[in-house]
């Protein structure tokens, strides 16, 4: 399925509900004409698309249709290890020359150069400049080398062994231990249960080099690979380059069968009840495993749209239930998609309070059963149609500004899973015809078919500590029996027709105007003192972004009100604005691409957000409401406090969290404002004081400056600026932030945190000091941080094999004092922390 359906939201487009001429739903879906799809004689597939965003760049991928699922018993973890070896020497780039060359042309490890290994595939990622033909040519040489010319030098294998083991170590912890308990149940009877990509440490410790080379010989072959190229280049020229490099890869003489491993069906419900002493929350999930369904015809595509609507409706119900004061769980979600190559899944999950696993499970199962038994309402369907259509419309509008990486992902899905790539123009045209005609019964039929007691897996996760009751399988089966006995009635329609704003403010005059012609910047000052700075940009076809700020922040509240102040904007967001609570506001804005988030930081308060150009009036109305119409909702406040407590009550169980908290308080010398937020500190929250602080910070707009960029013209948005920003309250008070006195310690401070059950360590080294704030110094310090990162990565990872990754960087602050901070961090085995720290100081 094209993922844009899942992540974006939509507007109804004013479409008529009248019937359109019948379409031939048996017609095959086309391939986007802007994508060149080909296959070489040796079996290599390729996808090429020209795209100018970003300019003078190409996103290149080498995709291997092979992952950890294909490993032999003595190779568990070696599919991933092979991926690592691609960066440690090839025929044309011995040892570290490949990374050195790419860094020499300005590419960065991580954003521009990376790789990943999954159950069924391995992906090599390379971003290349296209302004230099030689650099692009070399990039394809690198892809070819990865495909069949990796060196597997014995010394390099041994160096990398330590790096991969440290990556394995870094992934250990509560989530890994919980997954190790859940996967054998979720994948019962399947090879997937025993072929996790990170592998087995015993294999990583002792594998023979030949086992590594054998995996490469067996599975890195032209009939199992594809090349994807999307970027600012000539399609025909790139096709010729791909043919030049990849046609010379010889086919395998006796290829092993590339099997697709099944996940067996099961009639009975399976249960995984997993606990861990470092688990930070209680979770319940229901996985409904499904057969993979191909989308090859227009009818298949239409059915997928029906399914997207059904999942959206279920997810909205869970969200609404979580938002209710005293709701049965804290958060809920529903997603549907590919589980592994041979299985899809509908996944419903909720986060519950401690000791409320059973009641949370009953609420989740009840909503699933209600959807399966009586379906949805017409209002729910129309809401999801609106969201879906606006999503596709927005993608269509932004097609000329779409980043190359998005097109890469579409091609990747086509090669690995057979996902359609008809192109957004085709999807837009078909969606306008198909979506309005989808009937409620069709969506309800999907819910009935998907929500069954077959192929169902129930998974729970809980902290393993005193006072926490862990449900037994019999308890969960009892919940299932109770829910199955229920007879449901249709949900009541919940539709509001109230306007966002009942009484509009009076427009204010623009009392001054300035222009910076060279930058195409316009600045207005309104009669109420608000400053507005605007710059039209063309990065997106249909987007306006804004931020606004004023000096003050929570530095102006006493220490005793600190927790109340830092949570006050969340309290407002959870309560809603004007006549709308949070749930009704979300539904009112469905299909509107507009968002506003107020914030209060230490030295400033402000708002940020954005909108589609077509929803600019909604954006300005929301800004006005968040300044003037914060709601007092005691039930929403209690619900938010309850949610926050549920999230925080087990947070201290995480060793990584304990480490971060120690750094935080140490660097602030245990200042009361640097104390970590905890469940116990939530008693300091006060609804009335939260609203007082919020209304005080946003009660005077005269010292606010708003910055707008995007697809805008100042004259066109002038009426909105004058009305909604000019109508903001103004008292003309004079204020600025206060120095709360947070300062890093002087001298050398050393702290050791002992926490956790795994043999793993984290080290962080921080340097601070006074700083002369100017542009050159900031540039120099930033460059120093990047250089330090490169040097330490070479030494700690590549030379010593002591860590999977090291991070070094520099930052500066202007207020309340001009200061710098240089921070270095890495993970390692505990016994290696001191030697690696010594190596860091040796480099410094």
């Amino acid at each position: 399925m094209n993922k844009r359906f899942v992540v974006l939201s939509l507007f109804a487009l004013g479409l008529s509900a009248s019937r359109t001429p019948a379409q031939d739903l048996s017609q095959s879906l086309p391939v986007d004409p802007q994508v060149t799809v080909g296959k070489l004689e040796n079996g290599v597939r390729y996808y090429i698309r020209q795209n100018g965003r970003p300019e003078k760049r190409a996103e290149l991928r080498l995709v291997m249709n092979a992952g950890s699922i294909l490993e032999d018993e003595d190779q568990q973890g070696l599919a991933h290890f092979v991926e690592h070896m691609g960066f440690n020497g090839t025929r044309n780039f011995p040892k570290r020359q490949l990374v050195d060359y790419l860094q020499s042309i300005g590419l960065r490890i991580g954003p521009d150069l990376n790789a990943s290994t999954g159950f069924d595939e391995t992906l090599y990622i390379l971003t290349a400049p296209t302004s230099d033909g030689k650099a692009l040519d070399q990039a394809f040489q690198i892809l070819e080398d990865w495909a069949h010319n990796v060196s597997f030098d014995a010394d390099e294998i041994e160096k990398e062994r330590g790096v991969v083991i440290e990556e394995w170590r870094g992934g250990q912890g509560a989530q890994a231990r919980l997954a190790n308990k859940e996967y054998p149940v979720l994948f019962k009877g399947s090879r997937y249960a025993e072929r996790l990509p990170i592998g087995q440490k015993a294999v990583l410790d002792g594998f023979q080099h030949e086992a590594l080379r054998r995996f490469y010989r067996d599975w890195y072959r032209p009939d199992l690979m594809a090349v994807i190229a999307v970027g600012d280049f000539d399609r025909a020229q790139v096709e010729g380059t791909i043919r030049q490099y990849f046609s010379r890869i010889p086919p395998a003489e006796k290829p092993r069968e590339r099997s697709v491993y099944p996940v067996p069906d099961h009639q009975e419900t399976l249960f995984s009840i997993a606990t861990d002493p470092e688990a930070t929350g209680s979770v319940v999930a229901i996985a409904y495993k499904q057969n993979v369904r191909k989308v090859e015809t227009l009818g298949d595509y239409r059915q997928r749209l029906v399914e997207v609507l059904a999942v959206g409706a279920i997810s909205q119900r869970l969200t609404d239930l979580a938002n209710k004061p005293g709701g049965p769980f804290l958060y809920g979600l529903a997603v549907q998609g590919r589980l592994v190559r041979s299985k899809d899944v509908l996944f419903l999950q909720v986060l519950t309070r401690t000791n409320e696993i059973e009641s949370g499970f009953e609420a989740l199962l009840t909503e699933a059963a209600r959807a399966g038994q009586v379906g949805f309402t017409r209002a729910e369907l129309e809401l999801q149609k609106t969201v879906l259509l606006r999503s596709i419309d927005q993608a269509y509008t932004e097609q000329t500004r779409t980043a190359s990486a998005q097109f890469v992902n579409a091609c990747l899905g086509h090669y690995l899973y057979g996902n359609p790539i008809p192109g957004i123009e085709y999807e837009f045209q078909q969606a306008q015809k198909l979506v309005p005609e989808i009937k409620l019964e069709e969506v309800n039929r999907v819910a009935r078919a998907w929500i069954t007691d077959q192929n169902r897996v129930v998974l729970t996760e809980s902290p393993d500590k005193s006072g926490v009751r862990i449900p037994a399988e019999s308890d969960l089966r009892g919940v299932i029996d109770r829910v199955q006995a229920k007879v449901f009635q249709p949900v009541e329609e919940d539709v509001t027709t109230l306007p966002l704003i009942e009484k509009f403010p009076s427009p204010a005059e623009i009392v001054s105007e300035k222009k910076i012609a060279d930058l195409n910047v316009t600045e207005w000052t309104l009669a109420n003192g608000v400053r507005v700075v605007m710059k039209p940009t063309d990065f997106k076809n249909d987007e306006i972004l804004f931020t606004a700020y004023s000096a003050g922040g929570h530095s102006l509240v006493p220490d005793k009100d600190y927790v109340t102040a830092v949570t006050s904007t969340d309290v407002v967001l959870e309560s809603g604005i004007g006549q709308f609570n949070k749930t009704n506001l979300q539904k009112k804005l469905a299909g509107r691409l507009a968002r506003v988030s107020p914030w209060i930081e230490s030295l400033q308060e402000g708002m940020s957000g954005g909108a589609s150009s077509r929803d600019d009036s909604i954006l300005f109305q929301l800004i006005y409401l968040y300044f003037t119409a914060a709601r007092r909702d005691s039930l929403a406040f209690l619900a938010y406090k309850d949610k926050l407590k549920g999230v925080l009550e087990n947070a201290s169980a995480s060793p990584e969290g304990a480490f971060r908290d120690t750094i935080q308080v140490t660097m602030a010398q245990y200042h009361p404002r640097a104390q970590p937020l905890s469940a116990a500190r939530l008693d300091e929250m006060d609804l009335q004081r939260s609203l007082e602080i919020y209304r005080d910070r946003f009660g005077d707009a005269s010292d606010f400056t708003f910055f707008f960029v995007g697809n805008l013209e100042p004259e066109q948005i002038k009426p909105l600026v004058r009305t909604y920003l000019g109508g903001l309250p103004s008292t003309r008070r004079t204020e600025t932030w206060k120095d709360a006195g947070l300062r890093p310690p002087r001298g050398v401070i050393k702290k050791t945190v002992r926490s956790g059950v795994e043999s793993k360590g984290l080290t962080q080294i921080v340097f601070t000091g006074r700083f002369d704030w100017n542009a050159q110094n900031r540039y120099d310090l930033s460059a120093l941080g990047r250089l330090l990162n490169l040097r330490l990565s070479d030494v700690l990872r590549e030379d010593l094999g002591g860590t999977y990754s090291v991070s070094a960087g520099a930052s500066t602050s202007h207020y309340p004092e001009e200061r710098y901070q240089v921070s270095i961090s890495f993970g390692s085995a505990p016994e290696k922390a001191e030697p690696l720290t010594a190596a860091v100081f040796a480099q410094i």
Side-chain angles (χ1 to χ4, degrees):
M1 185 183 76
N2 194 315
K3 291 187 178 178
R4 69 171 146 267
F5 294 161
V6 179
V7 298
L8 299 177
S9 57
L10 279 162
F11 171 76
L13 299 175
L15 298 175
S16 170
S18 61
R19 292 196 60 81
T20 56
Q23 293 177 275
D24 179 10
L25 297 181
S26 66
Q27 62 180 276
S28 297
L29 293 175
V31 171
D32 186 348
Q34 296 190 62
V35 179
T36 298
V37 181
K39 184 178 181 180
L40 302 179
E41 290 184 5
N42 59 6
V44 174
R45 298 278 298 277
Y46 60 84
Y47 298 79
I48 308 168
R49 192 191 200 281
Q50 190 278 329
N51 185 58
R53 295 286 173 164
E55 296 179 351
K56 301 178 182 179
R57 285 289 185 273
E59 290 290 342
L60 308 180
R61 304 290 187 269
L62 173 67
V63 191
M64 303 304 308
N65 184 17
S68 61
I69 197 69
L70 301 176
E71 293 168 340
D72 296 329
E73 286 296 318
D74 63 340
Q75 293 176 324
Q76 294 187 59
L78 299 195
H80 173 236
F81 205 118
V82 166
E83 168 225 303
H84 274 242
M85 293 306 299
F87 300 88
N88 285 269
T90 66
R91 177 180 296 173
N92 293 287
F93 297 91
K95 297 186 182 294
R96 287 276 298 168
Q97 287 185 20
L98 186 151
V99 173
D100 292 343
Y101 163 71
L102 292 172
Q103 289 177 339
S104 76
I105 61 172
L107 301 184
R108 301 156 298 166
I109 297 176
D112 303 318
L113 174 66
N114 215 326
S116 64
T117 303
F119 280 118
D120 286 292
E121 65 279 330
T122 305
L123 180 64
Y124 293 85
I125 303 167
L126 180 58
T127 302
T130 59
S131 54
D132 180 352
K134 181 179 179 181
L136 184 59
D137 196 66
Q138 284 287 75
F140 281 104
Q141 176 65 77
I142 291 168
L143 294 186
E144 188 215 342
D145 271 17
W146 282 335
H148 74 132
N149 286 329
V150 175
S151 301
F152 294 103
D153 176 83
D155 290 340
E156 292 296 321
I157 292 173
E158 288 307 313
K159 284 183 180 179
E160 201 64 22
R161 191 191 296 267
V163 173
V164 174
I165 288 172
E166 289 309 316
E167 183 177 359
W168 173 89
R169 188 190 311 280
Q172 298 306 295
Q175 286 307 308
R177 292 190 295 270
L178 290 168
N180 287 337
K181 297 173 183 177
E182 293 167 346
Y183 276 23
V185 179
L186 184 62
F187 295 121
K188 184 178 180 180
S190 171
R191 188 179 175 96
Y192 286 100
E194 54 192 35
R195 286 295 186 275
L196 297 184
I198 196 61
Q200 299 290 329
K201 186 172 183 295
V203 174
L204 298 176
D205 281 332
F207 72 85
Q208 299 298 309
H209 294 186
E210 175 53 27
L212 189 68
R213 299 184 181 110
R214 186 176 75 245
F215 186 91
Y216 189 71
R217 286 196 307 270
D218 285 343
W219 304 115
Y220 278 58
R221 60 190 205 227
D223 60 305
L224 295 179
M225 68 178 62
V227 180
I228 301 173
V230 181
D232 191 7
F233 49 56
D234 179 83
R235 267 203 282 178
Q237 184 177 350
V238 167
E239 184 174 17
T241 303
I242 290 174
R243 288 185 173 277
Q244 173 191 345
Y245 282 103
F246 286 86
S247 292
R248 57 198 188 193
I249 302 177
E253 294 182 0
K254 296 181 179 180
R256 291 178 63 175
E257 181 183 359
R258 199 308 186 191
S259 300
V260 175
Y261 291 90
V263 177
D265 293 333
H266 47 90
Q267 295 294 315
E268 74 284 9
T269 298
L270 303 179
F271 295 88
S272 168
I273 302 170
T275 64
D276 193 272
E278 295 173 8
T280 57
S282 298
V283 177
V284 187
I286 310 174
Y288 297 92
K289 292 183 281 189
Q290 306 168 335
N291 292 329
V292 172
R293 300 174 303 285
K294 290 189 176 182
V295 180
E296 299 175 329
T297 67
L298 183 59
D300 297 334
Y301 179 76
R302 184 185 186 282
Q303 180 60 25
R304 187 53 58 94
L305 294 175
V306 175
E307 294 170 356
V308 170
L309 296 172
V311 175
I314 296 172
S315 188
Q316 184 64 54
R317 283 193 177 179
L318 296 180
T319 298
D320 292 348
L321 200 54
N323 286 339
K324 285 185 177 180
F329 43 77
L330 305 177
Y331 298 97
L333 63 86
V335 294
Q336 191 276 336
R338 190 62 54 95
L339 178 62
V340 290
R341 182 69 58 87
S342 57
K343 215 71 174 176
D344 281 357
V345 67
L346 171 65
F347 196 76
L348 312 180
Q349 177 176 299
V350 296
L351 175 66
T352 77
R353 301 168 188 84
T354 301
N355 286 328
E356 294 189 12
I357 284 280
E358 287 178 62
S359 58
F361 175 49
E362 182 160 357
L364 176 61
L365 191 62
T366 295
E367 289 309 308
R370 191 195 317 275
Q373 191 177 119
V374 299
F376 307 103
T377 67
R378 295 189 183 281
E380 287 177 303
L381 175 58
E382 291 308 311
L383 177 69
Q384 294 306 316
K385 283 185 177 182
T386 298
V387 171
L388 176 57
L389 282 171
R390 186 58 187 274
S391 167
I392 299 172
D393 173 63
Q394 185 70 4
Y396 176 75
T397 302
E398 296 292 356
Q399 61 181 305
T400 61
R401 296 292 187 268
T402 302
S404 293
Q406 283 190 245
F407 294 121
V408 165
N409 290 335
C411 296
L412 187 65
H414 186 272
Y415 173 64
L416 292 174
Y417 310 117
N419 293 346
I421 49 171
I424 187 57
E425 187 164 347
Y426 178 89
E427 291 190 54
F428 175 72
Q429 293 171 353
Q430 295 301 330
Q432 290 184 81
K433 302 172 187 176
L434 297 172
V435 173
E437 295 294 321
I438 292 173
K439 301 294 189 295
L440 180 61
E441 174 52 33
E442 295 179 82
V443 178
N444 290 342
R445 193 182 304 133
V446 168
R448 284 196 300 271
W450 283 3
I451 299 171
T452 72
D453 55 3
Q454 299 177 11
N455 284 330
R456 181 172 62 185
V457 182
V458 176
L459 307 105
T460 73
E461 296 177 359
S462 304
D464 184 4
K465 67 177 187 179
S466 176
V468 176
R469 180 181 178 276
I470 310 301
E473 182 177 320
S474 58
D475 298 321
L476 301 179
R477 289 190 181 278
V479 170
I480 292 174
D481 292 339
R482 288 197 299 274
V483 172
Q484 285 181 334
K486 293 181 180 180
V487 178
F488 298 100
Q489 298 300 319
V491 176
E492 293 183 8
E493 303 273 349
D494 182 15
V495 181
T496 179
T497 58
L498 294 172
L500 269 179
I501 296 179
E502 286 189 305
K503 184 178 180 181
F504 294 90
S506 300
E509 294 298 321
I510 296 174
V511 297
S512 72
E513 178 173 335
K514 300 177 184 177
K515 290 184 180 292
I516 305 175
D518 291 346
L519 299 177
N520 193 21
V521 167
T522 301
E523 179 184 333
W524 294 329
T525 301
L526 303 178
N528 60 353
V530 171
R531 293 174 63 221
V532 182
V533 181
M534 296 156 289
K535 178 177 173 59
T537 62
D538 62 358
F539 297 111
K540 292 284 187 179
N541 292 327
D542 187 27
E543 181 181 71
I544 297 173
L545 300 176
F546 91 96
T547 190
Y549 73 92
S550 167
H554 52 65
S555 69
L556 300 182
V557 306
D559 289 348
K560 67 181 180 64
D561 288 334
Y562 175 74
V563 172
T564 298
V566 297
T567 58
S568 61
T569 53
D570 283 343
V571 168
V572 170
L573 288 169
E574 290 294 318
S575 300
I577 48 176
Q579 307 172 83
F580 300 89
N581 62 28
K582 181 180 179 181
T583 297
N584 288 336
L585 181 63
Q586 289 174 341
K587 292 180 178 180
K588 181 68 177 178
L589 297 176
R592 301 286 194 172
L593 298 184
R595 67 190 188 282
V596 173
S597 296
W599 45 264
I600 300 176
E601 297 178 349
S602 58
L603 306 180
Q604 295 177 335
E605 63 274 346
M607 293 184 184
S608 300
S612 159
S613 305
R614 286 171 285 172
D615 291 323
D616 53 5
S617 64
I618 301 297
L619 175 68
F620 280 89
Q621 289 181 48
L622 289 173
I623 293 171
Y624 178 78
L625 288 170
Y626 276 114
F627 264 92
T628 63
R631 299 174 74 245
R632 179 187 175 92
D633 188 331
S634 57
L635 292 178
F637 172 76
L638 292 174
Y640 168 67
K641 188 175 177 181
D642 187 41
K643 285 183 180 180
L644 204 53
K645 181 179 180 181
V647 171
L648 294 173
E649 61 185 343
N650 295 300
S652 60
S654 164
E656 291 82 3
F659 183 68
R660 288 191 299 268
D661 290 348
T662 300
I663 293 172
Q664 179 176 314
V665 298
T666 301
M667 293 305 299
Q669 300 189 78
Y670 296 88
H671 193 284
R673 292 175 183 249
Q675 298 302 310
L677 194 61
S678 64
R681 295 196 70 190
L682 297 185
D683 290 337
E684 300 174 30
M685 293 176 64
D686 178 84
L687 174 58
Q688 182 59 34
R689 186 64 181 132
S690 278
L691 291 174
E692 288 173 358
I693 292 170
Y694 183 91
R695 289 167 177 163
D696 175 68
R697 290 297 83 221
F698 294 99
D700 177 19
S702 64
D703 60 348
F704 269 81
T705 301
F706 286 80
F707 297 89
F708 290 89
V709 299
N711 183 22
L712 60 88
E713 290 298 332
E715 289 303 314
Q716 291 180 3
I717 67 168
K718 181 182 285 187
L720 299 173
V721 170
R722 290 184 57 209
T723 299
Y724 297 108
L725 302 190
L728 294 177
S730 172
T731 62
R732 301 286 182 169
R733 66 187 177 189
T734 301
E735 66 176 10
T736 187
W737 47 267
K738 291 182 180 179
D739 187 346
L742 281 80
R743 294 292 186 276
R746 301 179 64 180
V748 178
I749 307 294
K750 185 174 182 179
K751 294 275 187 178
T752 300
V753 179
R754 302 191 183 280
S755 179
V757 300
E758 296 288 348
S759 179
K760 59 187 290 189
L762 293 172
T763 301
Q764 185 156 344
I765 305 165
V766 183
F767 300 88
T768 64
R770 293 187 179 275
F771 183 70
D772 185 6
W773 176 274
N774 61 57
Q776 186 63 51
N777 282 350
R778 296 200 303 276
Y779 178 87
D780 291 345
L781 190 65
S782 176
L784 173 64
R786 292 194 296 271
L787 288 168
L788 193 58
N789 193 80
L790 292 173
R791 177 67 65 84
L792 293 178
S793 181
D794 284 345
V795 174
L796 271 63
R797 173 181 166 131
E798 303 303 333
D799 294 345
L800 300 177
T803 184
Y804 172 60
S805 66
V806 58
S807 175
S811 62
T812 60
S813 61
H814 198 183
Y815 304 109
E817 278 192 336
E818 296 179 358
R819 302 191 67 86
Y820 75 86
Q821 178 170 302
V822 176
S823 182
I824 301 160
S825 61
F826 57 87
S828 70
E831 65 273 12
K832 292 183 179 180
E834 289 295 336
L836 291 176
T837 299
V840 169
F841 279 97
Q843 293 306 310
I844 292 173

